[in-house]
Amino acid sequence: MKNMKKVISTLLCAALAAATMTGCGSSQSRLDKIKESGKLVLATSPDFAPLEFENISSGETEYVGCDIELAKYIAEKLGVELEIQAMDFSAVQAAITSGQADIAIAGFAKTPEREESMGLTTPFGMDDEDNGQGLLVPADKASEYTSAEDFSGKTVGAQNGSLQQNLVTSQLPEDVNVEPIGSLNDGVLMLQTGKIDALASDGSNAKLLMENYDDIALCDFMFEWESEGNVAAVKKGEDELLEAVNEIIEEVNEQGLYLEWKAEATELAKSLGIEANE
């Protein structure tokens, strides 16, 4: 009987030890899981040249741009492969908070709302020319919009969850109707067909779009905004991953790599017939 009790006791200890080990495994950090899987999953919205856009010149879709180069560099430094998941901008943040992706790089500006729901990295690209945040309108109506009040009662398009959406809701009159859009190209089409009266956009991207579409223009009114560079995002609480990515981004900033990648991406965009701001 004593031997039987000893056997049972031993089995229970073994089971407890196994459960403990399993528990430890389930509490692996995101960084450990990335290294174990051998891949870093990136969420991005490839409609924002020269940051992230599509190159289909070879007959296959390739995701390119300075943000993509940054993601490749981060993956290389972590010793893993990069897996790119392309999606609408509105889905990028959800991909991080839900754990679908490991990191998001998609022209993210640092905002209080994003800081609450995600872990944000050290800014990068701070030396880029800041073209501000503004609104595209039909070219023949550009002179009609010189102040925030001129948008009263109008319908303004903005990408869902974007900095531009926040600026529209916080700096334009309360009676403005905010229309969510999937991509800036969708927004331009809606602007051209009269479904929206204005389209909120980063100033640099707005200038790019104006070069491609001569029937739209930036109005004189600009949002109050001072750029601090863009950031990448990881799931909230994944401090080990955030620290590792920050170390890599600091290296990128010190060497001026991001601006080099942006210059190269700009030239590539132009060669593909996609005008990009330098």
Side-chain angles (χ1 to χ4, degrees):
M1 181 65 70
K2 288 183 179 179
N3 288 338
M4 180 62 70
K5 288 181 178 180
K6 186 175 182 181
V7 169
I8 293 173
S9 177
T10 301
L11 290 173
L12 287 173
C13 288
L16 180 60
T20 302
M21 291 176 66
T22 302
C24 291
S26 65
S27 62
Q28 265 187 316
S29 72
R30 190 89 186 188
L31 181 59
D32 287 336
K33 291 179 180 178
I34 289 168
K35 291 183 176 180
E36 186 177 288
S37 68
K39 67 179 179 181
L40 176 72
V41 180
L42 167 72
T44 191
S45 179
D47 61 348
F48 204 71
L51 277 61
E52 47 267 328
F53 56 104
E54 295 180 351
N55 178 1
I56 57 174
S57 59
S58 65
E60 296 183 2
T61 300
E62 178 186 7
Y63 301 113
V64 295
C66 45
D67 279 358
I68 303 300
E69 290 303 312
L70 174 60
K72 289 179 180 177
Y73 190 85
I74 292 171
E76 180 183 349
K77 286 293 181 177
L78 293 178
V80 298
E81 298 293 323
L82 180 67
E83 178 183 307
I84 301 173
Q85 292 187 358
M87 58 193 72
D88 284 347
F89 184 83
S90 60
V92 173
Q93 183 167 323
I96 291 299
T97 56
S98 67
Q100 175 186 337
D102 301 313
I103 189 169
I105 311 179
F108 273 160
K110 185 177 181 180
T111 66
E113 292 80 10
R114 288 183 181 138
E115 283 187 294
E116 288 180 6
S117 61
M118 300 183 291
L120 303 183
T121 67
T122 297
F124 51 87
M126 291 82 70
D127 294 332
D128 287 352
E129 179 184 357
D130 180 12
N131 288 298
Q133 301 288 334
L135 291 143
L136 286 163
V137 297
D140 59 354
K141 296 183 178 180
S143 61
E144 298 178 13
Y145 300 98
T146 60
S147 68
E149 289 68 32
D150 292 329
F151 291 92
S152 179
K154 303 295 185 181
T155 299
V156 178
Q159 287 183 300
N160 198 28
S162 67
L163 164 66
Q164 291 75 31
Q165 186 183 53
N166 289 340
L167 293 174
V168 169
T169 56
S170 64
Q171 295 188 28
L172 295 186
E174 292 183 1
D175 63 349
V176 164
N177 177 35
V178 184
E179 182 69 27
I181 60 171
S183 70
L184 287 176
N185 288 330
D186 291 341
V188 169
L189 180 59
M190 294 172 70
L191 185 60
Q192 291 173 321
T193 55
K195 293 182 179 179
I196 58 176
D197 299 299
L199 173 63
S201 172
D202 167 83
S204 296
N205 222 47
K207 291 179 180 179
L208 176 154
L209 292 169
M210 287 164 58
E211 292 180 8
N212 290 333
Y213 304 99
D214 58 10
D215 57 345
I216 61 175
L218 268 173
C219 64
D220 289 339
F221 170 80
M222 297 291 287
F223 292 107
E224 293 182 9
W225 171 255
E226 184 175 345
S227 174
E228 297 180 358
N230 288 336
V231 295
V234 301
K235 190 172 184 179
K236 193 78 170 177
E238 293 294 348
D239 296 335
E240 189 179 351
L241 174 59
L242 185 62
E243 182 179 351
V245 173
N246 275 338
E247 288 180 3
I248 297 169
I249 288 177
E250 286 170 6
E251 179 182 319
V252 167
N253 288 339
E254 288 173 2
Q255 297 182 30
L257 295 176
Y258 188 82
L259 296 182
E260 291 180 13
W261 295 329
K262 184 174 183 181
E264 293 169 359
T266 297
E267 291 305 311
L268 174 59
K270 288 182 177 180
S271 73
L272 297 173
I274 305 171
E275 292 296 329
N277 293 283
E278 301 185 41

